[in-house]
Amino acid sequence: MPLLVRWIWLLLALHLAVGVIAYAHFLLTGQYVVLGWYFSVLGSSFFLVMTTAECCLAFACRSWFDQDEPMRLAWSMIACAALARLAGTLLREISDGHLPWGSGHWLIPHPGGLFANSSQMALVVGGPLSMAFLAIGLGRVLSIQRKFKLAGSLTRGDRALLILILAFSVSQIAIDLPLLGRHPSLGTMLLWLSDPLLSLLLVEAVLVRRSVIRIGHGLLARCWGMFVVAIVTTSAGDAALWATSRDLLPEPLAALSWYIWFVAAAAFASAPAYQLAAMTLTRQESLRLTAIR
Amino acid sequence: MSLEPQSSSGFWLRKRACVPAEESTSEAASPSGLDDLRARLNHWGQLWSVESEANDRSYAQRLVAERLTRWLERCFGQHAPRSLRGKDDCVSLASSMPVLTAFLGRRATRELSRRILQDI
């Protein structure tokens, strides 16, 4: 496992270990004090660290490709997705006042009529905008994989899953469309795009997963595999949020489901770390050989 | 626009006629230097694509294929060399370099090929 990836997952393990203590406290006392502090302070810091790492690593990967190389566009889009996620996290932390100096409303210009508030703007930037960039980037990766015949053929199970995803997105659109009559804000309408975009990302994840199975578990395959893990965990987190909003999940389970977002953040950061490890593999080997000599 | 006139022999004859006589003659290279260059190019050409039968392959070709396989496995995965085999069912620089360049970029592939061809 590359050093950077090891650090990311070690940090996640430590963070989750503290989270287990906070969750145990919640289960024993039934109070949200420690759990709330854990998610608002440690959780926010963890998201900031992970999204910053993801953004820096994605831009580093992009810089390894020349202007005319096909993967340059893919990594540009993935880097933009990471930047949008970082911006969304920062905006949310500032508007929620989870920063060391408290609330930072004065830092964000008033969003005006487009968004209901700055939190909604943060959700749009870190959600649908980031997903759209990632969908374009992964689409590009898939087309290059197909060009080199690295894309694997779909199984019956994959096809069934794709049909299920498509049915889910159509049902979501059918639920949201009648709400247009209530003249919602642009921010609300943009947030409706989250589900269809997540479905598109899931479709891409299924296709990417096939290619990973076809070629094995090298560094590049793990990079794509991490995107699959990140998209699937994001979908699971989204589904848990949906279930919680409809009182389908009991309170302890709902609180437990929040932890899934940390796994998604770590997986998103690990993907460019694997790509960078593959690109610097020869350099690392040279350094190791020099050290041995 | 048609490219036909340019590809005809007439075009090249006309083009050749435009070059002044003194410019068309270059300083003669020493025969030993040319032979050395030819031998080197042939050697790299043989390493680039494995066209001969599998049992006729030279030690250098086998070494290149072995190193390439190892790098492909590390970068892509253990099944990647099988997916990237050329027409002759062998892993060669010709069959692997395009995919390596596409997914790792030119700079990383240049370093990688330097490592593969080291001491050959």
Side-chain angles (χ1 to χ4, degrees):
Chain A
M1 192 187 272
L3 191 67
L4 274 170
V5 181
R6 211 178 297 161
W7 273 107
I8 289 168
W9 289 93
L10 190 70
L11 194 63
L12 174 74
L14 283 173
H15 182 67
L16 289 180
V18 179
V20 168
I21 298 168
Y23 187 68
H25 179 269
F26 162 72
L27 285 182
L28 291 171
T29 61
Q31 289 179 336
Y32 278 99
V33 187
V34 178
L35 198 67
W37 175 83
Y38 168 74
F39 276 101
S40 61
V41 178
L42 291 186
S44 304
S45 312
F46 181 81
F47 281 129
L48 271 180
V49 168
M50 283 297 149
T51 46
T52 308
E54 180 198 348
C55 192
C56 295
L57 289 168
F59 274 102
C61 290
R62 180 187 174 270
S63 70
W64 272 77
F65 292 98
D66 291 334
Q67 289 277 348
D68 58 334
E69 289 188 80
M71 280 294 278
R72 168 86 170 196
L73 177 69
W75 276 103
S76 297
M77 289 294 126
I78 293 168
C80 284
L83 188 65
R85 225 181 334 271
L86 173 63
T89 309
L90 267 174
L91 281 171
R92 205 171 56 235
E93 299 313 327
I94 292 169
S95 62
D96 291 351
H98 291 152
L99 293 168
W101 57 85
S103 177
H105 279 289
W106 52 275
L107 281 171
I108 316 169
H110 192 264
L114 298 178
F115 299 97
N117 49 44
S118 49
S119 275
Q120 193 183 54
M121 190 165 74
L123 281 174
V124 170
V125 172
L129 184 68
S130 166
M131 285 181 203
F133 279 130
L134 188 61
I136 299 169
L138 283 185
R140 183 78 178 150
V141 171
L142 280 169
S143 74
I144 298 167
Q145 280 183 351
R146 200 165 302 126
K147 194 176 154 194
F148 287 101
K149 296 187 176 92
L150 289 176
S153 49
L154 295 174
T155 60
R156 257 185 220 170
D158 290 338
R159 287 200 188 102
L161 188 64
L162 290 180
I163 290 168
L164 203 71
I165 293 166
L166 284 175
F168 172 74
S169 5
V170 170
S171 71
Q172 288 299 306
I173 292 168
I175 291 169
D176 292 337
L177 271 181
L179 299 174
L180 274 173
R182 292 184 195 169
H183 303 290
S185 68
L186 178 73
T188 310
M189 285 195 284
L190 286 173
L191 281 175
W192 289 346
L193 290 174
S194 296
D195 289 325
L197 279 169
L198 201 55
S199 303
L200 176 64
L201 283 173
L202 268 173
V203 170
E204 288 179 334
V206 170
L207 298 170
V208 168
R209 186 179 158 268
R210 272 291 133 213
S211 72
V212 171
I213 291 171
R214 189 182 144 95
I215 62 172
H217 295 285
L219 291 168
L220 290 174
R222 282 183 199 175
C223 160
W224 304 325
M226 277 299 141
F227 278 121
V228 176
V229 172
I231 292 165
V232 170
T233 45
T234 304
S235 309
D238 212 37
L241 283 180
W242 175 83
T244 311
S245 68
R246 279 160 180 76
D247 292 328
L248 294 171
L249 280 184
E251 219 174 312
L253 261 184
L256 194 64
S257 71
W258 301 337
Y259 288 87
I260 209 161
W261 296 101
F262 298 130
V263 182
F268 270 126
S270 302
Y274 270 120
Q275 171 77 31
L276 199 64
M279 290 192 291
T280 54
L281 196 62
T282 47
R283 200 173 286 180
Q284 284 163 8
E285 191 123 310
S286 304
L287 288 172
R288 211 183 58 190
L289 284 174
T290 316
I292 290 167
R293 277 170 200 162
Chain B
M1 195 179 80
S2 170
L3 289 173
E4 242 180 61
Q6 289 198 4
S7 58
S8 69
S9 56
F11 170 82
W12 293 108
L13 285 172
R14 279 198 302 279
K15 188 101 175 155
R16 224 178 272 167
C18 295
V19 181
E22 61 271 20
E23 276 181 32
S24 63
T25 53
S26 58
E27 202 180 313
S30 68
S32 63
L34 273 177
D35 288 343
D36 182 43
L37 184 66
R38 190 179 297 131
R40 241 188 238 194
L41 285 173
N42 284 338
H43 180 62
W44 291 118
Q46 281 163 5
L47 288 178
W48 176 254
S49 69
V50 187
E51 283 171 2
S52 52
E53 290 297 313
N55 49 3
D56 287 347
R57 287 161 68 197
S58 68
Y59 170 73
Q61 283 174 332
R62 276 202 304 273
L63 201 63
V64 166
E66 212 172 273
R67 287 179 183 177
L68 251 178
T69 306
R70 213 185 61 220
W71 282 108
L72 284 170
E73 279 175 1
R74 290 177 77 181
C75 287
F76 287 92
Q78 66 271 34
H79 310 307
R82 207 173 44 203
S83 322
L84 296 171
R85 271 175 195 158
K87 286 175 202 161
D88 37 27
D89 207 32
C90 289
V91 175
S92 67
L93 285 169
S95 65
S96 322
M97 281 301 134
V99 73
L100 281 167
T101 311
F103 289 103
L104 293 179
R106 260 181 224 126
R107 246 184 300 163
T109 312
R110 203 162 43 225
E111 275 183 43
L112 196 134
S113 39
R114 211 173 283 156
R115 293 298 303 270
I116 289 168
L117 296 169
Q118 208 172 26
D119 310 323
I120 292 179

Short mmCIF file of all heavy atoms in Angstrom, two decimals, chain A residues 122-171:
data_model
loop_
_atom_site.label_atom_id
_atom_site.label_comp_id
_atom_site.label_asym_id
_atom_site.label_seq_id
_atom_site.Cartn_x
_atom_site.Cartn_y
_atom_site.Cartn_z
N ALA A 122 -23.47 25.88 0.06
CA ALA A 122 -22.41 24.91 0.36
C ALA A 122 -22.81 23.51 -0.09
O ALA A 122 -22.00 22.76 -0.66
CB ALA A 122 -22.12 24.90 1.86
N LEU A 123 -24.09 23.16 0.14
CA LEU A 123 -24.59 21.83 -0.25
C LEU A 123 -24.56 21.66 -1.77
O LEU A 123 -24.23 20.58 -2.27
CB LEU A 123 -26.02 21.63 0.26
CG LEU A 123 -26.16 21.27 1.74
CD1 LEU A 123 -27.63 21.24 2.13
CD2 LEU A 123 -25.52 19.92 2.04
N VAL A 124 -24.92 22.73 -2.49
CA VAL A 124 -24.94 22.65 -3.96
C VAL A 124 -23.52 22.51 -4.51
O VAL A 124 -23.25 21.68 -5.38
CB VAL A 124 -25.65 23.89 -4.57
CG1 VAL A 124 -25.47 23.95 -6.08
CG2 VAL A 124 -27.13 23.87 -4.23
N VAL A 125 -22.60 23.33 -3.96
CA VAL A 125 -21.21 23.30 -4.45
C VAL A 125 -20.57 21.94 -4.14
O VAL A 125 -19.95 21.32 -5.01
CB VAL A 125 -20.39 24.46 -3.83
CG1 VAL A 125 -18.92 24.33 -4.17
CG2 VAL A 125 -20.92 25.80 -4.34
N GLY A 126 -20.73 21.47 -2.91
CA GLY A 126 -20.11 20.19 -2.51
C GLY A 126 -20.89 18.98 -2.99
O GLY A 126 -20.36 17.87 -2.98
N GLY A 127 -22.13 19.18 -3.43
CA GLY A 127 -22.96 18.06 -3.88
C GLY A 127 -23.07 17.97 -5.39
O GLY A 127 -22.14 17.46 -6.05
N PRO A 128 -24.16 18.49 -5.97
CA PRO A 128 -24.37 18.32 -7.42
C PRO A 128 -23.25 18.86 -8.30
O PRO A 128 -22.89 18.21 -9.29
CB PRO A 128 -25.66 19.10 -7.69
CG PRO A 128 -26.31 19.26 -6.38
CD PRO A 128 -25.26 19.21 -5.34
N LEU A 129 -22.66 20.00 -7.92
CA LEU A 129 -21.59 20.56 -8.76
C LEU A 129 -20.38 19.62 -8.79
O LEU A 129 -19.85 19.30 -9.87
CB LEU A 129 -21.18 21.95 -8.23
CG LEU A 129 -20.13 22.68 -9.07
CD1 LEU A 129 -20.68 23.08 -10.43
CD2 LEU A 129 -19.60 23.91 -8.35
N SER A 130 -19.99 19.16 -7.60
CA SER A 130 -18.86 18.24 -7.51
C SER A 130 -19.16 16.93 -8.24
O SER A 130 -18.30 16.38 -8.95
CB SER A 130 -18.57 17.99 -6.03
OG SER A 130 -17.73 16.91 -5.87
N MET A 131 -20.41 16.44 -8.07
CA MET A 131 -20.80 15.17 -8.74
C MET A 131 -20.76 15.31 -10.26
O MET A 131 -20.36 14.38 -10.96
CB MET A 131 -22.21 14.78 -8.31
CG MET A 131 -22.31 14.22 -6.93
SD MET A 131 -24.03 13.80 -6.62
CE MET A 131 -24.07 13.82 -4.86
N ALA A 132 -21.19 16.48 -10.76
CA ALA A 132 -21.20 16.69 -12.21
C ALA A 132 -19.78 16.64 -12.77
O ALA A 132 -19.52 15.99 -13.79
CB ALA A 132 -21.85 18.03 -12.54
N PHE A 133 -18.85 17.29 -12.07
CA PHE A 133 -17.44 17.26 -12.51
C PHE A 133 -16.91 15.83 -12.49
O PHE A 133 -16.26 15.39 -13.43
CB PHE A 133 -16.57 18.13 -11.58
CG PHE A 133 -16.63 19.60 -11.89
CD1 PHE A 133 -16.87 20.53 -10.89
CD2 PHE A 133 -16.41 20.07 -13.18
CE1 PHE A 133 -16.91 21.89 -11.15
CE2 PHE A 133 -16.45 21.44 -13.46
CZ PHE A 133 -16.70 22.34 -12.44
N LEU A 134 -17.21 15.10 -11.41
CA LEU A 134 -16.72 13.72 -11.27
C LEU A 134 -17.32 12.82 -12.35
O LEU A 134 -16.62 11.95 -12.91
CB LEU A 134 -17.05 13.18 -9.87
CG LEU A 134 -16.43 11.83 -9.52
CD1 LEU A 134 -14.91 11.90 -9.55
CD2 LEU A 134 -16.88 11.36 -8.15
N ALA A 135 -18.60 13.04 -12.66
CA ALA A 135 -19.26 12.22 -13.69
C ALA A 135 -18.59 12.43 -15.05
O ALA A 135 -18.37 11.46 -15.79
CB ALA A 135 -20.74 12.58 -13.77
N ILE A 136 -18.23 13.69 -15.36
CA ILE A 136 -17.55 13.96 -16.64
C ILE A 136 -16.17 13.29 -16.64
O ILE A 136 -15.77 12.64 -17.61
CB ILE A 136 -17.42 15.48 -16.90
CG1 ILE A 136 -18.81 16.14 -16.98
CG2 ILE A 136 -16.64 15.75 -18.19
CD1 ILE A 136 -18.78 17.65 -16.97
N GLY A 137 -15.45 13.44 -15.52
CA GLY A 137 -14.10 12.85 -15.41
C GLY A 137 -14.13 11.34 -15.54
O GLY A 137 -13.35 10.77 -16.32
N LEU A 138 -15.04 10.69 -14.83
CA LEU A 138 -15.11 9.22 -14.90
C LEU A 138 -15.60 8.75 -16.27
O LEU A 138 -15.18 7.69 -16.75
CB LEU A 138 -16.03 8.67 -13.80
CG LEU A 138 -15.45 8.63 -12.38
CD1 LEU A 138 -16.42 7.96 -11.43
CD2 LEU A 138 -14.12 7.90 -12.33
N GLY A 139 -16.47 9.54 -16.89
CA GLY A 139 -16.94 9.23 -18.25
C GLY A 139 -15.77 9.20 -19.21
O GLY A 139 -15.66 8.32 -20.07
N ARG A 140 -14.87 10.16 -19.03
CA ARG A 140 -13.68 10.24 -19.88
C ARG A 140 -12.77 9.01 -19.63
O ARG A 140 -12.26 8.41 -20.57
CB ARG A 140 -12.94 11.54 -19.54
CG ARG A 140 -11.73 11.82 -20.36
CD ARG A 140 -12.09 12.34 -21.72
NE ARG A 140 -10.90 12.66 -22.48
CZ ARG A 140 -10.83 12.57 -23.78
NH1 ARG A 140 -11.87 12.21 -24.48
NH2 ARG A 140 -9.73 12.87 -24.42
N VAL A 141 -12.60 8.66 -18.36
CA VAL A 141 -11.78 7.48 -18.02
C VAL A 141 -12.36 6.24 -18.68
O VAL A 141 -11.65 5.44 -19.28
CB VAL A 141 -11.70 7.29 -16.48
CG1 VAL A 141 -11.03 5.97 -16.12
CG2 VAL A 141 -10.93 8.43 -15.82
N LEU A 142 -13.68 6.11 -18.61
CA LEU A 142 -14.35 4.93 -19.20
C LEU A 142 -14.15 4.88 -20.71
O LEU A 142 -13.93 3.80 -21.27
CB LEU A 142 -15.84 4.96 -18.87
CG LEU A 142 -16.21 4.48 -17.47
CD1 LEU A 142 -17.66 4.79 -17.16
CD2 LEU A 142 -15.96 2.99 -17.33
N SER A 143 -14.23 6.05 -21.37
CA SER A 143 -14.07 6.03 -22.83
C SER A 143 -12.64 5.65 -23.20
O SER A 143 -12.42 4.95 -24.19
CB SER A 143 -14.47 7.39 -23.43
OG SER A 143 -13.48 8.34 -23.16
N ILE A 144 -11.66 6.09 -22.40
CA ILE A 144 -10.26 5.72 -22.68
C ILE A 144 -10.06 4.22 -22.40
O ILE A 144 -9.38 3.53 -23.16
CB ILE A 144 -9.28 6.59 -21.86
CG1 ILE A 144 -9.44 8.06 -22.26
CG2 ILE A 144 -7.84 6.16 -22.08
CD1 ILE A 144 -8.77 9.05 -21.33
N GLN A 145 -10.68 3.73 -21.34
CA GLN A 145 -10.59 2.29 -21.03
C GLN A 145 -11.16 1.46 -22.18
O GLN A 145 -10.62 0.43 -22.55
CB GLN A 145 -11.38 1.98 -19.75
CG GLN A 145 -10.65 2.32 -18.48
CD GLN A 145 -11.43 1.92 -17.26
OE1 GLN A 145 -12.59 1.54 -17.32
NE2 GLN A 145 -10.80 2.03 -16.11
N ARG A 146 -12.29 1.93 -22.72
CA ARG A 146 -12.94 1.20 -23.81
C ARG A 146 -12.05 1.20 -25.05
O ARG A 146 -11.95 0.22 -25.76
CB ARG A 146 -14.31 1.83 -24.12
CG ARG A 146 -15.22 0.86 -24.85
CD ARG A 146 -16.66 1.30 -24.86
NE ARG A 146 -17.19 1.47 -23.51
CZ ARG A 146 -17.77 2.59 -23.07
NH1 ARG A 146 -17.91 3.62 -23.86
NH2 ARG A 146 -18.24 2.67 -21.86
N LYS A 147 -11.39 2.34 -25.28
CA LYS A 147 -10.50 2.47 -26.43
C LYS A 147 -9.37 1.43 -26.37
O LYS A 147 -8.97 0.88 -27.39
CB LYS A 147 -9.92 3.89 -26.44
CG LYS A 147 -9.27 4.30 -27.72
CD LYS A 147 -8.84 5.74 -27.63
CE LYS A 147 -7.68 6.00 -28.55
NZ LYS A 147 -7.03 7.27 -28.25
N PHE A 148 -8.88 1.18 -25.16
CA PHE A 148 -7.79 0.22 -24.99
C PHE A 148 -8.30 -1.18 -24.64
O PHE A 148 -7.54 -2.03 -24.21
CB PHE A 148 -6.81 0.72 -23.92
CG PHE A 148 -5.97 1.86 -24.40
CD1 PHE A 148 -6.26 3.15 -24.04
CD2 PHE A 148 -4.90 1.64 -25.25
CE1 PHE A 148 -5.50 4.21 -24.49
CE2 PHE A 148 -4.13 2.68 -25.70
CZ PHE A 148 -4.44 3.98 -25.33
N LYS A 149 -9.58 -1.37 -24.79
CA LYS A 149 -10.23 -2.68 -24.53
C LYS A 149 -9.97 -3.16 -23.09
O LYS A 149 -9.76 -4.35 -22.86
CB LYS A 149 -9.78 -3.71 -25.54
CG LYS A 149 -10.19 -3.36 -26.96
CD LYS A 149 -9.89 -4.48 -27.92
CE LYS A 149 -10.38 -4.14 -29.29
NZ LYS A 149 -9.40 -3.50 -30.14
N LEU A 150 -9.96 -2.23 -22.15
CA LEU A 150 -9.77 -2.60 -20.74
C LEU A 150 -11.10 -2.73 -20.02
O LEU A 150 -11.17 -3.24 -18.91
CB LEU A 150 -8.91 -1.54 -20.02
CG LEU A 150 -7.44 -1.49 -20.39
CD1 LEU A 150 -6.75 -0.34 -19.67
CD2 LEU A 150 -6.73 -2.78 -20.04
N ALA A 151 -12.15 -2.22 -20.66
CA ALA A 151 -13.47 -2.27 -20.02
C ALA A 151 -14.01 -3.70 -20.12
O ALA A 151 -14.01 -4.30 -21.19
CB ALA A 151 -14.41 -1.30 -20.72
N GLY A 152 -14.46 -4.22 -18.99
CA GLY A 152 -15.01 -5.57 -18.98
C GLY A 152 -16.47 -5.58 -19.39
O GLY A 152 -17.14 -4.55 -19.33
N SER A 153 -16.94 -6.75 -19.84
CA SER A 153 -18.35 -6.82 -20.25
C SER A 153 -19.23 -6.98 -19.01
O SER A 153 -18.82 -7.56 -18.00
CB SER A 153 -18.56 -7.98 -21.22
OG SER A 153 -17.98 -9.13 -20.67
N LEU A 154 -20.45 -6.45 -19.11
CA LEU A 154 -21.37 -6.46 -17.98
C LEU A 154 -21.99 -7.84 -17.77
O LEU A 154 -22.30 -8.54 -18.73
CB LEU A 154 -22.48 -5.43 -18.19
CG LEU A 154 -22.04 -3.97 -18.23
CD1 LEU A 154 -23.21 -3.08 -18.58
CD2 LEU A 154 -21.46 -3.54 -16.90
N THR A 155 -22.17 -8.19 -16.50
CA THR A 155 -22.83 -9.46 -16.18
C THR A 155 -24.34 -9.21 -16.04
O THR A 155 -24.77 -8.05 -16.07
CB THR A 155 -22.29 -10.04 -14.86
OG1 THR A 155 -22.57 -9.09 -13.84
CG2 THR A 155 -20.80 -10.30 -14.92
N ARG A 156 -25.09 -10.28 -15.84
CA ARG A 156 -26.53 -10.13 -15.66
C ARG A 156 -26.85 -9.32 -14.39
O ARG A 156 -27.74 -8.49 -14.36
CB ARG A 156 -27.18 -11.51 -15.54
CG ARG A 156 -27.86 -11.92 -16.82
CD ARG A 156 -28.57 -13.22 -16.60
NE ARG A 156 -28.41 -14.07 -17.76
CZ ARG A 156 -28.75 -15.33 -17.81
NH1 ARG A 156 -29.23 -15.92 -16.75
NH2 ARG A 156 -28.62 -16.03 -18.91
N GLY A 157 -26.06 -9.59 -13.35
CA GLY A 157 -26.21 -8.87 -12.08
C GLY A 157 -25.99 -7.37 -12.26
O GLY A 157 -26.73 -6.55 -11.71
N ASP A 158 -24.93 -7.03 -13.05
CA ASP A 158 -24.64 -5.60 -13.32
C ASP A 158 -25.82 -4.95 -14.02
O ASP A 158 -26.23 -3.83 -13.68
CB ASP A 158 -23.41 -5.48 -14.24
CG ASP A 158 -22.14 -5.86 -13.53
OD1 ASP A 158 -22.13 -5.82 -12.29
OD2 ASP A 158 -21.17 -6.21 -14.22
N ARG A 159 -26.36 -5.67 -15.03
CA ARG A 159 -27.48 -5.11 -15.81
C ARG A 159 -28.69 -4.89 -14.91
O ARG A 159 -29.36 -3.85 -15.01
CB ARG A 159 -27.83 -6.04 -16.96
CG ARG A 159 -26.78 -5.96 -18.05
CD ARG A 159 -27.29 -6.46 -19.39
NE ARG A 159 -26.14 -6.53 -20.30
CZ ARG A 159 -25.50 -7.63 -20.64
NH1 ARG A 159 -25.89 -8.79 -20.18
NH2 ARG A 159 -24.47 -7.60 -21.46
N ALA A 160 -28.94 -5.87 -14.03
CA ALA A 160 -30.08 -5.74 -13.10
C ALA A 160 -29.89 -4.53 -12.19
O ALA A 160 -30.83 -3.76 -11.96
CB ALA A 160 -30.22 -7.01 -12.27
N LEU A 161 -28.64 -4.35 -11.72
CA LEU A 161 -28.33 -3.22 -10.84
C LEU A 161 -28.52 -1.89 -11.59
O LEU A 161 -29.08 -0.93 -11.05
CB LEU A 161 -26.88 -3.34 -10.34
CG LEU A 161 -26.45 -2.35 -9.26
CD1 LEU A 161 -27.24 -2.55 -7.98
CD2 LEU A 161 -24.96 -2.51 -8.96
N LEU A 162 -28.07 -1.86 -12.85
CA LEU A 162 -28.21 -0.64 -13.65
C LEU A 162 -29.69 -0.29 -13.85
O LEU A 162 -30.07 0.89 -13.76
CB LEU A 162 -27.52 -0.80 -15.01
CG LEU A 162 -25.99 -0.86 -14.98
CD1 LEU A 162 -25.44 -1.02 -16.38
CD2 LEU A 162 -25.41 0.38 -14.34
N ILE A 163 -30.50 -1.30 -14.10
CA ILE A 163 -31.95 -1.06 -14.30
C ILE A 163 -32.56 -0.51 -13.01
O ILE A 163 -33.35 0.44 -13.03
CB ILE A 163 -32.65 -2.36 -14.77
CG1 ILE A 163 -32.21 -2.69 -16.20
CG2 ILE A 163 -34.18 -2.23 -14.69
CD1 ILE A 163 -32.59 -4.06 -16.68
N LEU A 164 -32.12 -1.08 -11.88
CA LEU A 164 -32.61 -0.64 -10.57
C LEU A 164 -32.24 0.84 -10.33
O LEU A 164 -33.07 1.64 -9.88
CB LEU A 164 -31.98 -1.52 -9.48
CG LEU A 164 -32.73 -1.60 -8.17
CD1 LEU A 164 -34.01 -2.40 -8.35
CD2 LEU A 164 -31.85 -2.27 -7.12
N ILE A 165 -30.99 1.18 -10.66
CA ILE A 165 -30.52 2.57 -10.47
C ILE A 165 -31.33 3.53 -11.34
O ILE A 165 -31.77 4.59 -10.89
CB ILE A 165 -29.01 2.68 -10.79
CG1 ILE A 165 -28.19 1.90 -9.77
CG2 ILE A 165 -28.56 4.14 -10.81
CD1 ILE A 165 -26.74 1.67 -10.18
N LEU A 166 -31.54 3.13 -12.59
CA LEU A 166 -32.29 3.98 -13.52
C LEU A 166 -33.73 4.16 -13.04
O LEU A 166 -34.27 5.28 -13.08
CB LEU A 166 -32.27 3.39 -14.94
CG LEU A 166 -30.96 3.57 -15.69
CD1 LEU A 166 -31.01 2.84 -17.03
CD2 LEU A 166 -30.66 5.05 -15.92
N ALA A 167 -34.33 3.07 -12.56
CA ALA A 167 -35.70 3.14 -12.06
C ALA A 167 -35.79 4.09 -10.86
O ALA A 167 -36.72 4.90 -10.75
CB ALA A 167 -36.19 1.75 -11.66
N PHE A 168 -34.76 4.02 -9.99
CA PHE A 168 -34.73 4.88 -8.82
C PHE A 168 -34.63 6.35 -9.24
O PHE A 168 -35.36 7.21 -8.72
CB PHE A 168 -33.54 4.51 -7.91
CG PHE A 168 -33.31 5.47 -6.78
CD1 PHE A 168 -34.18 5.48 -5.69
CD2 PHE A 168 -32.24 6.37 -6.80
CE1 PHE A 168 -33.98 6.38 -4.65
CE2 PHE A 168 -32.04 7.26 -5.76
CZ PHE A 168 -32.91 7.27 -4.68
N SER A 169 -33.75 6.66 -10.22
CA SER A 169 -33.62 8.07 -10.63
C SER A 169 -34.89 8.58 -11.29
O SER A 169 -35.29 9.72 -11.07
CB SER A 169 -32.45 8.32 -11.57
OG SER A 169 -31.83 7.24 -11.93
N VAL A 170 -35.54 7.73 -12.09
CA VAL A 170 -36.79 8.16 -12.74
C VAL A 170 -37.85 8.44 -11.66
O VAL A 170 -38.58 9.45 -11.74
CB VAL A 170 -37.27 7.08 -13.74
CG1 VAL A 170 -38.68 7.37 -14.23
CG2 VAL A 170 -36.31 7.01 -14.93
N SER A 171 -37.90 7.58 -10.62
CA SER A 171 -38.89 7.79 -9.57
C SER A 171 -38.61 9.09 -8.80
O SER A 171 -39.53 9.82 -8.43
CB SER A 171 -38.91 6.61 -8.60
OG SER A 171 -37.74 6.61 -7.81
#
